[in-house]
Amino acid sequence: MALESVDIQSKLQETFGDHVKYFRTEYDMFVLEADVDVVYNVIKFLKEEPSLNFNFLTDLCGVHYPDSDINEQFCVVYHLHNWYENKRIRVKAFLNGSNPEVKSVVSLFNCANWMERETFDFYGIIFEGHPNLVRILNMDEMTSFPMRKEFPMEDSGRTDKDDRFFGRTINNLSI
């Protein structure tokens, strides 16, 4: 019997109530949002519940929404895969912008170790309980987090290019 999105939603709502919400399908993938204080338990449930079997963590990443409400300025996104039925699911947890913390899932999926380190390295999201939460790609001396959208994309002092050639002017003046 194929696992249907409505079955997944029912099981999650029975177990976690209002802490799981905004169920939908995006780009042929079932998506839901979980409160940050229960997202670890949601991921564990999706993995260990025999009827669900989301036994593989495909990806874990961060997103920065600096213009959102303070409690939704960061998001950790988990992609899980049920190999048996080739079913995928995306779980999102929104975090506080001044204190972006979430419980580590390394105890559930060993592969999360490097994914969480990368997310910490680029966004500054703290994964509580991570065995070695240190930078993985950037220099240890860095004090900023390069994927945060609070920094301009380019150095405003550059003089080696003319933005008009790249269509980045207000009027798109021709040269």
Side-chain angles (χ1 to χ4, degrees):
M1 182 171 136
L3 186 60
E4 298 296 329
S5 298
V6 70
D7 299 328
I8 300 168
Q9 179 175 342
S10 295
K11 288 181 183 301
L12 288 169
Q13 286 178 318
E14 287 171 16
T15 308
F16 299 101
D18 292 338
H19 295 287
V20 289
K21 53 194 167 264
Y22 306 123
F23 296 91
R24 61 201 179 273
T25 299
E26 294 176 349
Y27 305 104
D28 296 327
M29 186 181 293
F30 188 56
V31 182
L32 67 112
E33 294 176 19
D35 292 344
V36 67
D37 55 337
V38 301
V39 71
Y40 174 88
N41 292 329
V42 169
I43 301 294
K44 182 176 180 173
F45 181 78
L46 288 167
K47 178 184 181 187
E48 296 178 354
E49 168 60 37
S51 64
L52 298 178
N53 269 321
F54 285 97
N55 53 2
F56 184 68
L57 178 67
T58 307
D59 193 20
L60 180 158
C61 63
V63 184
H64 186 208
Y65 301 106
D67 298 329
S68 293
D69 177 73
I70 188 71
N71 290 318
E72 294 185 349
Q73 287 187 352
F74 288 94
C75 182
V76 176
V77 182
Y78 305 85
H79 288 180
L80 300 167
H81 188 183
N82 171 334
W83 282 338
Y84 303 107
E85 298 186 36
N86 196 26
K87 195 87 169 153
R88 296 175 187 270
I89 191 169
R90 178 182 306 128
V91 180
K92 296 181 173 186
F94 286 90
L95 313 176
N96 182 286
S98 59
N99 188 29
E101 293 185 15
V102 65
K103 187 174 179 178
S104 172
V105 295
V106 170
S107 63
L108 300 174
F109 298 101
N110 285 332
C111 65
N113 189 327
W114 287 44
M115 295 178 200
E116 289 180 354
R117 285 179 61 191
E118 179 185 38
T119 303
F120 162 73
D121 194 2
F122 284 108
Y123 293 94
I125 295 172
I126 305 298
F127 291 90
E128 300 167 12
H130 189 282
N132 187 26
L133 194 61
V134 295
R135 289 193 182 269
I136 192 168
L137 296 170
N138 292 303
M139 299 182 309
D140 292 335
E141 297 80 26
M142 281 187 72
T143 57
S144 63
F145 302 100
M147 293 298 286
R148 288 189 179 185
K149 296 177 183 172
E150 56 203 34
F151 305 106
M153 287 180 59
E154 297 181 26
D155 180 2
S156 60
R158 286 187 69 171
T159 58
D160 62 329
K161 67 176 187 176
D162 187 334
D163 279 344
R164 293 177 296 167
F165 293 122
F166 299 97
R168 295 186 222 161
T169 61
I170 294 171
N171 299 331
N172 277 339
L173 300 173
S174 60
I175 302 204

